[in-house]
Every structure is written in C-alpha cells, then in structure tokens.
Amino acid sequence: MPSKLVVIGNGMAGMRCVEEIVKRQPGHFKITVFGAESRPNYNRILLSKVLQGESRFEDIILHSLDWYQEHEVQLHSGEQVVRIDPEQRMIHTASGIQTGYDVLIIATGSVPFIPPIPGSDKKGVISFRSMEDCQIMTEYASQYRRAAVIGGGLLGLEAARGLLHLGMEAHVVHNASYLMNRQLDALSAGMLQQELEQQGMIFHLNRNTLKITGATRAQGLRFDQGDRLAADLIVMAVGIRPHIRLAEQAGIQTGRAILVDDLMQTSELGIYAIGECAEHRGISYGLVAPLYEQAQVLAAHLCEQPTAGYQGSIPYSQLKISGVHVFSIGDIQAPEAEDIVQQYDGVRRTYRRVLATRGSISGAILYGETAEGAALVEAVRRGQSAEEWLAANSTDAHASMNPADAAAIALSPHSVVCACNAVTKCKILDTMTNLQLETADEVREHTRASGSCGGCRPTVEALVRCHAAGITESAPVATEHAPVAEEIPAICSCTSLSHEGLRLQIHQQGWQTPAEVRQQLNWKTADGCLKCLPAIHYYLNTRRLIQSANLEYFPTDIAEMEIDHRLLENRYHVSGNLAQHTWTNTMPDAAVSSFMSNSLSASLLLYADPALLQQLPDSGDLLQQLYSRWQIIVPAVPLQLAAAVHSDGPVGVLLYDLAVCSSPAGWEIYAGGSSIGSFRRAELIAQMDSFHEAIRLLSLCIHYYYEQSDYGEPVWQWLERTSLPNVREQILNRYYEQHSKSGMEGAISHEHDENAVPFLQRTM
C-alpha cells in the first residue's frame, strides 16, 4: 500500500517537489496537498507580469486542476492547516479535516512583513504577495488616482510598475538613498531610477514613514522629516518573513525559519521543510531557484534515489519590468570585494561591474544588457578565479557579435541557463535540434527555460539565434582579410529568402498575386505556410500603395488604387470628439482570415490632446485630413500615433510608435516608443518650427517606415535594424527635396535659428 504523503502548501516549492516525485516514482505515494488559496498552483514570481498587463492569471498557472486529477494528487484548496500533531502523525484544518501522514512536507512559504507603522491596519493598506492583492489593486485603480508603495526593492518597483499600468499615479517611498540598495550600487541605481521616472514613477528617497494618515481608511503618509504624501492606496513591499507558526506550535526546531539538514529533514522524524519557510545552514532563501533545487533533493531522497544533498544556492536578482534589464549577484557591498571590471556606456545606457573576493569572482551588476548573467552565476557558483575569468572575457573572438550572443556561446555545454528549472545549455540545444524548434517560446514550452521568473529569456533568445546560425560553441573570428557577414535567417522553411530579400524582390518586380510570387521565387512548398503567406500579402500591398502614393501624404482616393480590398475594409470609429480616432482593418473573407486574421488585422490610432485643438484653431482640419489619408494603411504591426500640445511625460506620447509634441523651441517628432510588451521611450527624429511642418515630416516618416519595415516589425525594432541616424538622414533628405521643390516657408528650425543646426547634427 502506498505511503501517505501530505504537503502543507500548494505553492511553487511544495508542488515542484510533488511534480518531481510523481515523475521519478509514480504511485509510490498517496499524495494529499493543502493550499490556503482557492486556486491551483501558480507562479507567484510572475504576479508582477499579471499586474503589468503582460500576462493573464491563466498564463502563470503551473499545475492545472486537470494535472492534479491526472496524477492522482488530492488537492484541498482554500483549506488552512491550523495544527500539526507529530505524535499522532496527523494534521488538522480550520474546517475540521483531519488527515494522517507517513511523510509530511511543510512548504508554507512566507508572509509579507508589515512594519509596525501606526495606521498600517487601515483599509486601503495592502501587501503584494498573492493574486488577491492584484485584484485589490485593480479595484482601487478603478476608483482612485494615487498610490504609494513603501519599499524601493525588487517587489516594490514591480508593484509600482503594475499600478502605473492600471492608470494610477505611482509614488515609491524608500528609506535608503538609492533604489535596490542591497543589489545595486549608486551608479546603476541612478540609471534605474532615471529609466523608471521616464516610465512615470515618482520617487521619495531617504524617507521613513511615521504614520499612515486617514480617519476611516488610508489617505496618505507622514514622514519623519515632517512632509506628507497624499495617497488613496498604500502597498507594503518591504520584505517577507518565513511562515513558521505551524512548526513552532508542533515543537519543531526553528531559527529565523524551520531548521533543516542537507536532506531537508526537520528535527522531527518524517517531517521535512522546503522553500521560503526552511532555513539551511543559517540561510533562508526567498528566490525561486534555491526552492527548486531543494525540491529536487527532497524528491530524490523520498524516492530512495541517490542524492548528494542540498549544498546551498547562489542567489541572484533580476527585475521583472518590461524594457528594464537589471541583474545582480553576490554581495556587491562586501568591503573585501574588489572591482575587476567596471564599464559604463552613457550612450547605450549599459553598465557592467564584476567583483572578486580573495581572487575569485564573487559578485556582479549588469544593467541594460543582462545575457551575461547566466555565465556570471556559473562563475560565482564554482568560484572561478578572477585571472581565469579575465582571460576568458578579454578575448576578441566575439568582438564582432551581439554581446548577448557572445555570452551565450561562451557558456559551457553543461552550464545552467535557467536556474529556476535547472535547464542547461546542452538541454536547450539538443531539444531544439531534436524537435526542430525555432523560437524562444517553443523552447520555453518544451524545456521550461525562461518559464518561471523570465530572467534567462535574453540568454535563451541568444541561443535560439546562434542555433539558427549554426554557431553554438565558438564564434568565428573576424579578420581584416575575411570579414564575417551576419547571417540573416529565412522567413520560413519554404524559402531561403529573409524578410528583407522577399520585400526587395516584390517591390522590384511586377508580380500581382501571392501565387505568382511563390512560383517566380521557386517556393519549396507550393502553397506556402502560415509564416510566409501573410508576409507575401503584406509586401504586395505595400508595393501597390507606395507606387500610388506621393511622398508627402498617402492619397485620399483609394478607389482607383490596385489594392487587395480584403485588407482595406476599414471601419472608421470616432470616440468622443475629434481628439481620438481609431481605424481597424479587418478581412471579411473567411478563406483569407482563416490563416491571416491574427497577422494582417491592424489598428491605427491617432491621439491629439484636446488642448491642441483649442490652441491651434486650424489643427483640427489638418488632423482630419491626415485621418482620411492615413486610414488606408495596413501597417506591419498595429501602429499608434500621437500628437499633443505638451509632452505629458514618457507614459504619454513618448510611449507611442510615432509622436509629435510641442517644446519651448517648436515641435518635436519622435519615433520608436512602445508600451506593449517592451516599454521603450521614443527617440527624437527632428525639430520643426510649426505644427504643420511637424505633421508633414511625420508623414514622411510613416511613408519611409512603410517602405522599409519587415512584416511584423514594430517601429522600435525597425529603428534598431536600420539605425536611427540613417532614418533621420533619409527622412530629412526627403523633406529638403520637397521643400526645395515647393518653396514652402517654415522649414526645419535651423533656417530660423542658427543654434538648431548643431542640435540636429548632434542627434544624427
């Protein structure tokens, strides 16, 4: 008869152990799991992604209810265990359930630390620990405007970013002089603060909260310096405490957490503890990678399989905010640590600092480019000598490569890429080869790499690129006589052409139909596939539009143009007044939409601050003309445009693909902003004297993007690929050409201001 295994805690640590057990010895235990939350097991690390709108709750579920049933694991969700009886080997729940056990695993995790601040028990004061907390924040965001997050560490910053996404004004209160002061130094923290301020966060550093104000509910904070901050929601994000009450009441030995040995055994025979509630060799870990390592050790032990026991982990930190890449490992504040590398690039906004203690790599900070993080974790883990590390990283072998690709290639085959799920480099490469995987998402699905905290995603993406290029162990060395050309991947297996190659072929030839394109270009698969068919349709239509349009604007009369009208059945929608217009291009043809509906459906949004229409009387007519001209666009991806009298901060117009906003010197045109998936601030293209000329230049920018973009390529990626200086030059040249032909007045501002010329030159 199977032994009875009871797990208290339906979280990441306990369920990873259960998963390992049923994988190693299915049927060996009769398993019962008690979870305090009324939900299946989910990835708590990714709650910030849910709050930031990048994932749904369903996306972060680790074990569905069907999984429990399939593996005969009995789950009691919403059941709080209130007592452990070691003598009777029995557990008791709040609802009266009594269950006996042969083996008991305590995986109760931790609870948020709520500092003893007067007023912390008021309504409107919450922590950020569970899905329920996310729901409360969402509810408050629908009613209130301002939130304050107490804590400028990882959790606090991720909570603040989620509140920004919900539309709240997010203030971060931190008691240190700079953010993430345990993981970063002052320089990297300053870079991080500047980036987050551009996203909209407001910081109050060196502040200690004396009191949470408000009569019936929280209404703000009062600081020790006498100043106050009004806030409708207070989020506590100052740390966690191991949840050890059950163990203490049962007489199990505890310190800061439940004391365990290398096999995760507690002081009571048959009772084990793993995760945030466990203390091993004086350390209680609050990161996911150590929790999973403990789960593997305990599963092997319980299944009577060989294990060396748990030897401790090397914790590291990565911030989970889109568009912000921060990595930290080791004690970077240790007085005995010495810098062996410190590099700062103010133009590329990157920072790299590596430290050594007594001659061995002991810590590092990476900002901006973090793909090297996996290699640094390995170096710290094995205590690599600083001399060896410097020798390996000073070679010019990868000088011509993308830094992320070079770091991925430099990893040894058995290096752990995803510490959360113990996935090695060779496991990823072997799986890609055997299953013919082509994307990082496919790798995640089949190996779990990057599926937990997401910190290793840059390394996984780099390995995918290197695998596609056939370079996985060593990079080619570029020489003066034999320069190495970067290999551009094909669109799909139907052709050897890249997106750029296909676009150039279609734009240069007179082919009219997708079938003709496939025939003339010797498509390997006669009917094409889901990857290439939408791209062919897209490039055919861009050629027709480009040939029919003049360089200033897209034409208003599309009836005479030879366009695939399945792509241009536009539905014109006006919400409110002229301030906002949205077009959605749809394809009613079921035969086409069956494989292209997600690819070629696109929306074009142009937003104009209502104040613009009041301050510039003729701007409404101009914008209306542009609406009618731009609505025929079926862009490479959904495209967002914005125009505003004043810049409403980076969370406003500067997070749009293309934007026009006023400045003290005139009107500025920006490109490459993003608020979807990857938060990026738009780059300045040029500065104009008048709003009319700014819109004219914006039209040229749209036209150039339409000509040169690959299918599925957002504006920010297009700018990275073609380079911002090149885009500026091309657009301004076109503008000058039009200006010289038309003799227009009100040209680029340097015609009226000599100081503007150096400004434009500096930006190019």
Side-chain angles (χ1 to χ4, degrees):
M1 184 175 179
S3 299
K4 296 179 181 178
L5 170 63
V6 172
V7 181
I8 304 177
N10 188 37
M12 298 176 69
M15 283 308 299
R16 170 51 70 93
C17 188
V18 170
E19 180 183 337
E20 287 288 330
I21 289 171
V22 299
K23 185 190 303 181
R24 293 167 186 262
Q25 279 195 343
H28 184 68
F29 289 100
K30 180 181 179 182
I31 304 175
T32 304
V33 177
F34 290 88
E37 291 188 60
S38 300
R39 301 177 184 275
N41 176 34
Y42 63 89
N43 190 335
R44 196 181 302 275
I45 304 299
L46 297 183
L47 279 176
S48 58
K49 297 293 185 182
V50 174
L51 196 60
Q52 293 170 34
E54 296 181 38
S55 302
R56 303 168 302 163
F57 175 73
E58 292 76 13
D59 299 327
I60 68 171
I61 291 177
L62 295 174
H63 299 92
S64 66
L65 295 178
D66 291 339
W67 186 93
Y68 293 88
Q69 184 175 1
E70 179 184 349
H71 293 88
E72 298 181 342
V73 175
Q74 184 178 15
L75 171 65
H76 293 280
S77 60
E79 281 287 348
Q80 183 74 47
V81 176
V82 295
R83 187 163 70 91
I84 300 171
D85 186 343
E87 291 186 2
Q88 299 296 322
R89 295 206 166 199
M90 188 80 66
I91 64 102
H92 302 260
T93 73
S95 67
I97 296 177
Q98 300 181 25
T99 301
Y101 64 84
D102 297 309
V103 177
L104 176 66
I105 299 175
I106 303 176
T108 47
S110 60
V111 293
F113 171 62
I114 305 298
I117 301 173
S120 59
D121 57 345
K122 285 183 167 62
K123 184 179 180 181
V125 180
I126 65 170
S127 58
F128 180 36
R129 182 66 181 165
S130 67
M131 190 60 203
E132 281 72 20
D133 295 329
C134 292
Q135 292 174 336
I136 292 173
M137 291 185 198
T138 302
E139 291 172 4
Y140 266 80
S142 66
Q143 304 176 51
Y144 300 104
R145 174 175 172 268
R146 179 181 288 188
V149 178
I150 299 180
L154 288 167
L155 195 63
L157 297 178
E158 290 167 7
R161 187 64 196 84
L163 291 167
L164 278 180
H165 172 77
L166 294 175
M168 297 194 79
E169 186 178 301
H171 293 254
V172 177
V173 178
H174 194 45
N175 60 3
S177 59
Y178 59 84
L179 302 175
M180 291 180 62
N181 52 293
R182 294 184 179 180
Q183 296 89 10
L184 302 181
D185 56 18
L187 179 56
S188 55
M191 298 172 70
L192 174 62
Q193 181 177 340
Q194 184 178 10
E195 177 70 29
L196 296 179
E197 284 175 339
Q198 289 176 349
Q199 292 194 14
M201 292 187 202
I202 302 169
F203 294 99
H204 307 266
L205 303 179
N206 284 320
R207 290 289 193 278
N208 289 302
T209 303
L210 290 183
K211 182 180 180 180
I212 297 175
T213 61
T216 58
R217 66 173 183 85
Q219 293 183 329
L221 305 175
R222 189 173 74 193
F223 301 124
D224 58 353
Q225 298 179 10
D227 49 337
R228 296 170 178 261
L229 173 66
D232 306 299
L233 173 67
I234 312 295
V235 180
M236 296 286 193
V238 294
I240 57 175
R241 284 183 171 175
H243 190 7
I244 60 175
R245 179 180 54 82
L246 282 175
E248 289 177 326
Q249 293 175 348
I252 299 172
Q253 291 183 6
T254 62
R256 181 178 183 273
I258 304 171
L259 301 179
V260 297
D261 62 15
D262 290 357
L263 296 177
M264 313 312 296
Q265 170 80 52
T266 71
S267 60
E268 287 288 336
L269 188 64
I271 300 180
Y272 300 82
I274 58 172
E276 293 174 334
C277 66
E279 181 179 336
H280 175 263
R281 300 183 185 179
I283 301 176
S284 177
Y285 297 94
L287 301 173
V288 66
L291 277 54
Y292 282 0
E293 292 173 10
Q294 294 173 2
Q296 288 186 324
V297 167
L298 180 54
H301 172 64
L302 294 179
C303 293
E304 301 178 351
Q305 296 176 353
T307 175
Y310 180 61
Q311 304 301 313
S313 301
I314 304 295
Y316 61 91
S317 305
Q318 287 187 291
L319 189 63
K320 290 172 287 298
I321 293 179
S322 293
V324 182
H325 304 287
V326 181
F327 169 90
S328 175
I329 184 171
D331 184 3
I332 54 95
Q333 307 291 356
E336 65 273 18
E338 298 178 337
D339 290 335
I340 61 172
V341 169
Q342 190 169 17
Q343 299 170 330
Y344 169 71
D345 188 330
V347 175
R348 297 174 59 221
R349 301 287 297 164
T350 61
Y351 178 66
R352 180 175 181 245
R353 182 184 177 193
V354 182
L355 302 98
T357 302
R358 292 181 291 277
S360 299
I361 302 298
S362 60
I365 299 171
L366 302 176
Y367 186 94
E369 293 178 353
T370 59
E372 190 184 2
L376 285 165
V377 170
E378 182 181 3
V380 174
R381 189 191 307 276
R382 64 187 183 91
Q384 184 178 17
S385 72
E387 184 178 356
E388 178 187 351
W389 187 89
L390 285 169
N393 286 271
S394 62
T395 177
D396 294 330
H398 307 303
S400 63
M401 300 189 65
N402 179 311
D405 295 356
I409 289 173
L411 288 172
S412 65
H414 296 288
S415 297
V416 176
V417 173
C418 178
C420 296
N421 297 291
V423 184
T424 62
K425 174 182 175 179
C426 62
K427 172 71 177 295
I428 292 173
L429 295 176
D430 290 346
T431 305
M432 291 187 66
T433 300
N434 295 335
L435 300 181
Q436 298 183 335
L437 308 183
E438 297 180 349
T439 68
D441 288 338
E442 292 174 336
V443 171
R444 180 192 62 200
E445 179 181 350
H446 290 280
T447 69
R448 286 188 171 182
S450 76
S452 292
C453 76
C456 63
R457 179 76 179 200
T459 306
V460 174
E461 292 175 342
L463 286 173
V464 169
R465 290 192 297 269
C466 295
H467 184 270
I471 308 170
T472 57
E473 296 301 330
S474 60
V477 180
T479 68
E480 294 182 2
H481 303 290
V484 178
E486 182 179 356
E487 183 176 344
I488 302 176
I491 296 175
C492 63
S493 59
C494 300
T495 177
S496 60
L497 289 172
S498 64
H499 276 281
E500 182 178 8
L502 177 61
R503 185 181 69 246
L504 291 175
Q505 288 277 5
I506 291 178
H507 285 189
Q508 291 170 1
Q509 304 296 330
W511 303 321
Q512 298 297 316
T513 66
E516 188 177 2
V517 171
R518 298 195 299 272
Q519 181 181 4
Q520 293 294 329
L521 294 177
N522 299 317
W523 235 240
K524 298 174 185 177
T525 306
D527 295 331
C529 68
L530 296 179
K531 290 185 177 180
C532 61
L533 285 177
I536 294 173
H537 276 269
Y538 175 71
Y539 295 133
L540 281 172
N541 280 281
T542 58
R543 176 177 61 82
R544 293 164 184 159
L545 284 172
I546 291 168
Q547 290 177 349
S548 302
N550 77 38
L551 288 176
E552 180 185 355
Y553 299 122
F554 290 98
T556 55
D557 185 5
I558 65 172
E560 300 177 359
M561 298 176 60
E562 297 180 4
I563 301 173
D564 187 341
H565 287 274
R566 291 175 300 182
L567 308 181
L568 297 176
E569 182 173 303
N570 299 308
R571 296 178 180 178
Y572 181 59
H573 171 68
V574 180
S575 59
N577 51 32
L578 285 179
Q580 182 169 318
H581 298 257
T582 304
W583 294 272
T584 301
N585 296 310
T586 60
M587 293 173 301
D589 192 318
V592 177
S593 62
S594 64
F595 68 86
M596 292 167 60
S597 58
N598 291 330
S599 301
L600 282 177
S601 294
S603 64
L604 171 64
L605 168 69
L606 193 148
Y607 168 79
D609 191 319
L612 174 68
L613 304 179
Q614 298 174 5
Q615 295 187 24
L616 301 174
D618 58 343
S619 62
D621 293 336
L622 177 59
L623 290 173
Q624 184 64 61
Q625 294 176 35
L626 294 174
Y627 297 151
S628 64
R629 295 175 187 272
W630 286 343
Q631 66 174 310
I632 68 168
I633 297 176
V634 182
V637 292
L639 187 65
Q640 291 193 320
L641 309 172
V645 168
H646 54 82
S647 176
D648 191 26
V651 293
V653 298
L654 296 188
L655 287 182
Y656 283 77
D657 294 299
L658 295 157
V660 176
C661 60
S662 67
S663 71
W667 291 87
E668 296 174 344
I669 298 89
Y670 290 86
S674 174
S675 61
I676 302 174
S678 178
F679 284 86
R680 292 171 181 266
R681 187 178 187 274
E683 301 281 356
L684 179 65
I685 298 295
Q687 180 178 290
M688 312 296 286
D689 277 350
S690 70
F691 176 71
H692 290 70
E693 295 311 309
I695 292 295
R696 178 180 288 274
L697 195 75
L698 180 64
S699 294
L700 293 175
C701 190
I702 294 173
H703 193 282
Y704 189 56
Y705 166 70
Y706 202 49
E707 285 182 3
Q708 300 295 325
S709 61
D710 290 345
Y711 174 72
E713 183 177 44
V715 174
W716 66 267
Q717 285 186 352
W718 168 67
L719 282 176
E720 284 189 353
R721 178 173 60 84
T722 58
S723 85
L724 180 62
N726 175 64
V727 171
R728 284 195 184 112
E729 181 179 3
Q730 293 293 330
I731 295 172
L732 291 175
N733 284 344
R734 294 185 180 195
Y735 179 88
Y736 288 136
E737 181 181 351
Q738 286 188 0
H739 178 67
S740 63
K741 290 180 180 179
S742 62
M744 295 181 299
E745 296 182 357
I748 291 184
S749 57
H750 74 255
E751 291 188 290
H752 302 279
D753 184 357
E754 296 178 356
N755 295 326
V757 176
F759 169 76
L760 287 173
Q761 290 175 341
R762 287 196 302 271
T763 61
M764 294 179 64

